[in-house]
Amino acid sequence: MSEVAVVGIGMHRFGRTPGVSGRAQAVHAARAALADCGLRFSDMQFGFGGSHSAGDADTLVSELGLTGLPFINVANGCATGGSALIAADAAIRSGQHDIGIVIGFDKHPRGAFNTDPSEHGIGSWYGETGLMVTTQFFGMKIQRYLHEHDLAPGVLATIAEKSFRNGARNPMAWRRKEIPADEIATAPMISDPLTQSMYCSPGEGAVALVLCRADLARHHAQDPVFLAGAAFRSRRYGSVEVFSPWLATDRADSPTVEAAAAAFRAAGVDPSEVDVAQIQDTESGAELMHMAETGLCAHGEQEELIRSGATAVDGRLPINTDGGCIANGEPIGASGLRQVYENVLQLRGRADGHQVPGGPRVGFTHVYGAPGISACTVLTR
């Protein structure tokens, strides 16, 4: 089995870019990733990519080059980018290919995602009764979690405050204005206890990564980052997930628990060794829950870590150093790859303005999507 390295990264700034298509943003990101490692699209042996609202990724070859490479579209909700990366990792580890590109992009219209319940195997009644509105699910889920682990709701505003602070220092972020916790807490209530400023928004953006066999990495990059572990899991019976019209009498862990454990196991790394982490924060409650589900801390420990500053850029366990989804928004196809892009920057020591001090060596990413899927990576240098 071949080991895998990330040798090129490219990104189109997240947010809103009037007059620029999602496809154009994807091409920009791909060319930036190729330039980062001094390669051409004709050097790529395969491609994986996906988008929810901006077109088929395989058609990007019209702009990037008609080279005949196999380019496979990936669609897996919010985990589309993470799924494409998992597929690319497997293509190289299996020995089928030596080098290839992964591209995730999107350009969502303004407003909430408009999802058809029938696409998730649920009757139309689920939407007609308002249960398809994900903001309600997130509110109910975090209410339950706060109660079960005796955590104060005020910590949710502190999480969002950190996200906006980090986003203000990230030139690629959408939301680049700091917002104090008291203003976040008193913003319009969407679904108690989550206010408007605690949620991310659908947006635009693109990310591309060039991956290759680890033994070839230094031919293409002076400072390659190694994809030490990558894992993907779907939900089990009894997990509490969005778009679930019922609750089982038995409880099961989120797919995040299994995906994170598998990624750490494959990398031979313990969660305590993580120097920087990017975890899914569709809203503040998600970051809180995923901190424990990924094994970065125990359930109930989050409030002390967050309030002490441990999760800040200069803290013991920096989380969502680029501002996460809250500051960057969520273009579905690109979101999971944004996390990897950020960790590569951090491990290279090139995250100007929001760089984790001390030369981080281990990075972790986690992306979660409906109706209960999770992809995690461990990156090392």
Side-chain angles (χ1 to χ4, degrees):
M1 296 288 284
S2 300
E3 299 300 314
V4 178
V6 181
V7 293
I9 59 173
M11 182 174 180
H12 185 283
R13 186 176 181 273
F14 279 29
R16 293 288 178 195
T17 312
V20 181
S21 69
R23 287 173 49 83
Q25 294 178 44
V27 170
H28 172 92
R31 288 174 175 163
L34 292 166
D36 186 45
C37 54
L39 292 168
R40 299 171 179 267
F41 189 68
S42 57
D43 297 316
M44 300 297 100
Q45 297 175 2
F46 70 86
F48 288 94
S51 170
H52 183 272
S53 304
D56 293 335
D58 67 304
T59 64
L60 296 172
V61 298
S62 298
E63 285 81 22
L64 294 171
L66 300 174
T67 64
L69 87 171
F71 199 121
I72 297 175
N73 290 318
V74 179
N76 220 357
C78 297
T80 291
S83 301
L85 181 64
I86 294 288
D89 176 73
I92 294 173
R93 287 186 189 275
S94 69
Q96 183 178 18
H97 296 295
D98 296 331
I99 191 166
I101 193 166
V102 178
I103 308 172
F105 62 104
D106 250 310
K107 189 179 179 77
H108 301 301
R110 295 179 184 275
F113 292 120
N114 185 17
T115 304
D116 183 351
S118 67
E119 295 177 359
H120 295 270
I122 309 172
S124 60
W125 64 268
Y126 198 68
E128 292 165 359
T129 55
L131 293 174
M132 202 70 183
V133 181
T134 56
T135 51
Q136 293 188 32
F137 172 83
F138 294 140
M140 290 187 291
K141 188 171 183 178
I142 192 57
Q143 274 193 31
R144 179 179 183 175
Y145 189 87
L146 293 171
H147 172 74
E148 289 182 341
H149 299 285
D150 194 26
L151 297 169
V155 73
L156 300 173
T158 307
I159 291 172
E161 180 182 47
K162 171 184 62 69
S163 298
F164 289 117
R165 181 171 65 248
N166 293 349
R169 290 159 174 74
N170 174 16
M172 303 300 278
W174 181 7
R175 311 294 190 191
R176 302 202 60 215
K177 178 183 177 182
E178 293 192 43
I179 305 177
D182 57 351
E183 186 176 330
I184 292 168
T186 56
M189 183 63 68
I190 301 298
S191 186
D192 191 26
L194 297 169
T195 70
Q196 186 176 43
S197 298
M198 296 176 189
Y199 284 94
C200 77
S201 299
E204 304 176 19
V207 177
L209 308 172
V210 176
L211 282 69
C212 75
R213 275 176 27 204
D215 59 330
L216 302 176
R218 298 197 185 276
H219 295 291
H220 307 301
Q222 292 183 335
D223 50 3
V225 170
F226 299 95
L227 185 56
F232 181 94
R233 294 290 188 273
S234 61
R235 69 194 188 280
R236 290 187 182 274
Y237 174 80
S239 63
V240 182
E241 309 296 342
V242 66
F243 303 156
S244 295
W246 47 268
L247 290 177
T249 54
D250 298 323
R251 293 280 295 275
D253 287 332
S254 160
T256 291
V257 175
E258 290 191 59
F264 283 122
R265 187 166 55 249
V269 169
D270 189 84
S272 64
E273 298 177 71
V274 170
D275 297 313
V276 57
Q278 317 301 325
I279 59 180
Q280 183 80 348
D281 61 331
T282 315
E283 27 69 39
S284 295
E287 179 171 326
L288 185 78
M289 290 182 284
H290 292 146
M291 285 175 63
E293 289 179 353
T294 56
L296 297 176
C297 70
H299 292 284
E301 291 183 351
Q302 299 100 312
E303 185 174 357
E304 181 179 353
L305 288 170
I306 293 162
R307 295 199 187 281
S308 71
T311 60
V313 167
D314 59 353
R316 177 175 65 80
L317 180 59
I319 291 177
N320 290 335
T321 49
D322 65 352
C325 289
I326 290 175
N328 285 277
E330 188 174 26
I332 282 179
S335 196
L337 299 183
R338 170 190 55 77
Q339 298 175 329
V340 176
Y341 176 97
E342 170 67 9
N343 272 1
V344 172
L345 278 185
Q346 291 287 350
L347 298 187
R348 287 178 173 180
R350 298 182 188 175
D352 297 338
H354 60 289
Q355 175 66 47
V356 170
R361 302 189 64 85
V362 178
F364 172 78
T365 73
H366 155 263
V367 63
Y368 167 90
I373 48 179
S374 186
C376 296
T377 74
V378 177
L379 297 143
T380 61
R381 68 174 177 87

